[in-house]
Amino acid sequence: MKLNRYTALAMSVFLAAAVMTGCGSKDTNTAAQTPAQSQAAETKEEKAAETEKSAETENADKAQSSELKEFDVVLDWYPNAVHSFIYEAIEHGYFAEEGLKINVISPAESVDAMTFVAAEKAQIGITYPVDVITAVANEKMPVVAIGALVQEELNCMASLAETDITEDMSTLKGKKIGHSGPAVQVAAVKTIMANAGLTENDAEIINVGFDLVSSLTTKSVDIVAGPFINDEIITMRNAGYDINVWRYQDYGVPSMYGLVFAANKDAYAADPELYKGFLRACAKGFEDMKADEEHVIGLIMSEMNSDDNPLDETQQRGSYETLMPLMEKDGQPFLSMTEETWKNAMEWMLKYEIISEACDVSEFFIAPEL
């Protein structure tokens, strides 16, 4: 029978008394423990108790871990500042509290957030609203957005400050406009030009692909459409370039979310509480993300930085500071979404033939009550 600390101590006292009685008074001094011996015995017992408690805690943690449900999250890009709240929630055990073990998966050619979610190979994919709308309207994928990570569009237009492009954008006439390729960026350029009273024939619109930064800084083009305000804009400014940034929503493009969580629609309907638990943990992680910038930067550089994904601390700090006012705004809490925002985005995409038919917003948008 295994004895705990207190039972063992009681028995040792009983045995010591029996020895003293049996041996007589002349042996009392040899039978009794010195203060040093007594202290050593208690210390030994305390260490044994601590070891036992530690083992029990470790076993409990292992048991809890084995009971957690695997939950795969496919990122939109390699881990960076915008994902910090996920790592905060992992570090503080918020997902475990919801019964979840989070597996963070970086995208690659063989891992695409939308297709993985649609095929139920992952529970969550981080993606862009236009991708959700396109997947539902054009490809009939069973995907649905369940929360917005960023309340504003992150793509923008940018020009070197030395150019003569002005705020009314009429000065785009005769300019070379580089874009990153997707149809949505072309539509944004056309919308901005139309908002300034121009037609698409009034400027040269050029697909520069991934060369947004170099095409602008080498002056191959006058302005670019598609850089992220939390990435390429910071890169150029850190390199010493004086950049003017033009936000899409200020020039006729409807306001859209920067990034959203997408889930399989059928999987969500089958177990909404599973996904709500995920969102609750994310919300707690975001509160921690807001509270301590230095801890976030340290977490980024220790948990997200790697040989495959080398991160620059100055860049990530700039990204964090750019994102904070955008991930949550007055009247627009973190993860919140509205039907109007989704409807306006869908109608704009339909106008520019990015999607072929309109859908009811309930087809690609759910706002869970947490």
Side-chain angles (χ1 to χ4, degrees):
M1 179 177 68
K2 186 175 183 180
L3 302 178
N4 61 32
R5 174 187 171 188
Y6 303 103
T7 303
L9 184 58
M11 289 188 66
S12 67
V13 172
F14 172 79
L15 290 172
V19 170
M20 289 170 64
T21 303
C23 294
S25 59
K26 67 178 182 180
D27 293 326
T28 298
N29 291 336
T30 58
Q33 290 182 320
T34 66
Q37 290 173 326
S38 178
Q39 184 177 1
E42 289 183 4
T43 301
K44 184 177 181 180
E45 290 165 1
E46 288 173 356
K47 288 183 177 179
E50 290 174 0
T51 300
E52 181 177 340
K53 183 178 180 181
S54 176
E56 290 173 352
T57 300
E58 183 178 349
N59 290 337
D61 290 342
K62 287 181 179 178
Q64 182 187 34
S65 178
S66 65
E67 294 170 0
L68 298 179
K69 183 177 179 61
E70 299 281 339
F71 197 97
D72 295 338
V73 179
V74 181
L75 304 183
D76 55 297
W77 190 242
Y78 290 96
N80 62 81
V82 76
H83 308 122
S84 299
F85 65 92
I86 297 175
Y87 288 83
E88 287 277 4
I90 292 173
E91 181 182 59
H92 291 95
Y94 300 143
F95 290 118
E97 290 173 3
E98 298 290 348
L100 303 175
K101 180 182 183 299
I102 299 299
N103 302 313
V104 178
I105 303 171
S106 296
E109 291 183 4
S110 59
V111 181
D112 174 74
M114 296 298 287
T115 56
F116 262 50
V117 167
E120 296 190 64
K121 292 182 178 180
Q123 281 72 34
I124 286 289
I126 298 177
T127 190
Y128 308 97
V130 292
D131 288 345
V132 174
I133 296 172
T134 301
V136 173
N138 290 356
E139 303 174 45
K140 311 305 179 187
M141 286 186 178
V143 294
V144 63
I146 63 172
L149 286 68
V150 186
Q151 293 295 318
E152 284 189 12
E153 172 67 80
L154 294 174
N155 288 124
C156 63
M157 293 186 78
S159 62
L160 296 176
E162 63 192 56
T163 65
D164 61 354
I165 296 173
T166 60
E167 289 186 1
D168 65 10
M169 288 294 168
S170 62
T171 45
L172 287 178
K173 187 171 183 178
K175 296 294 190 293
K176 292 181 179 180
I177 305 173
H179 66 86
S180 55
V184 66
Q185 302 303 336
V186 177
V189 170
K190 291 179 179 179
T191 300
I192 292 167
M193 293 182 69
N195 190 66
L198 303 174
T199 71
E200 60 186 273
N201 295 322
D202 287 324
E204 185 179 356
I205 303 174
I206 306 167
N207 182 353
V208 299
F210 291 112
D211 295 326
L212 286 170
V213 171
S214 62
S215 64
L216 183 63
T217 56
T218 60
K219 303 180 184 180
S220 299
V221 296
D222 301 295
I223 189 170
V224 289
F228 288 97
I229 58 172
N230 62 315
D231 190 7
E232 287 96 342
I233 297 301
I234 296 172
T235 298
M236 287 188 282
R237 285 177 170 163
N238 285 345
Y241 292 98
D242 191 4
I243 303 293
N244 284 334
V245 175
W246 317 101
R247 303 298 303 279
Y248 286 175
Q249 60 266 33
D250 295 333
Y251 296 95
V253 179
S255 178
M256 285 184 276
Y257 303 112
L259 289 168
V260 296
F261 283 132
N264 183 286
K265 190 173 185 179
D266 298 329
Y268 179 88
D271 192 356
E273 188 56 35
L274 176 73
Y275 292 87
K276 291 179 182 180
F278 169 77
L279 295 176
R280 285 193 294 267
C282 287
K284 291 179 181 178
F286 180 67
E287 290 302 310
D288 290 340
M289 180 181 174
K290 290 192 299 181
D292 191 343
E293 177 176 345
E294 294 308 316
H295 181 267
V296 171
I297 299 304
L299 189 65
I300 290 172
M301 298 311 297
S302 63
E303 299 300 320
M304 306 184 207
N305 188 33
S306 67
D307 291 339
D308 293 333
N309 180 43
L311 299 176
D312 177 77
E313 183 173 333
T314 302
Q315 174 87 7
Q316 293 305 307
R317 187 180 295 276
S319 181
Y320 170 89
E321 293 172 354
T322 299
L323 287 164
M324 279 296 92
L326 306 180
M327 296 179 77
E328 180 179 64
K329 301 176 64 180
D330 289 342
Q332 297 173 265
F334 179 64
L335 298 178
S336 65
M337 299 183 295
T338 67
E339 180 177 331
E340 180 182 9
T341 299
W342 282 98
K343 185 172 183 292
N344 290 341
M346 180 193 67
E347 290 177 347
W348 176 75
M349 293 173 67
L350 187 64
K351 176 181 178 180
Y352 284 93
E353 301 181 343
I354 300 171
I355 57 175
S356 55
E357 61 182 11
C359 300
D360 189 281
V361 291
S362 63
E363 292 295 312
F364 44 73
F365 150 69
I366 294 175
E369 289 286 342
L370 302 183

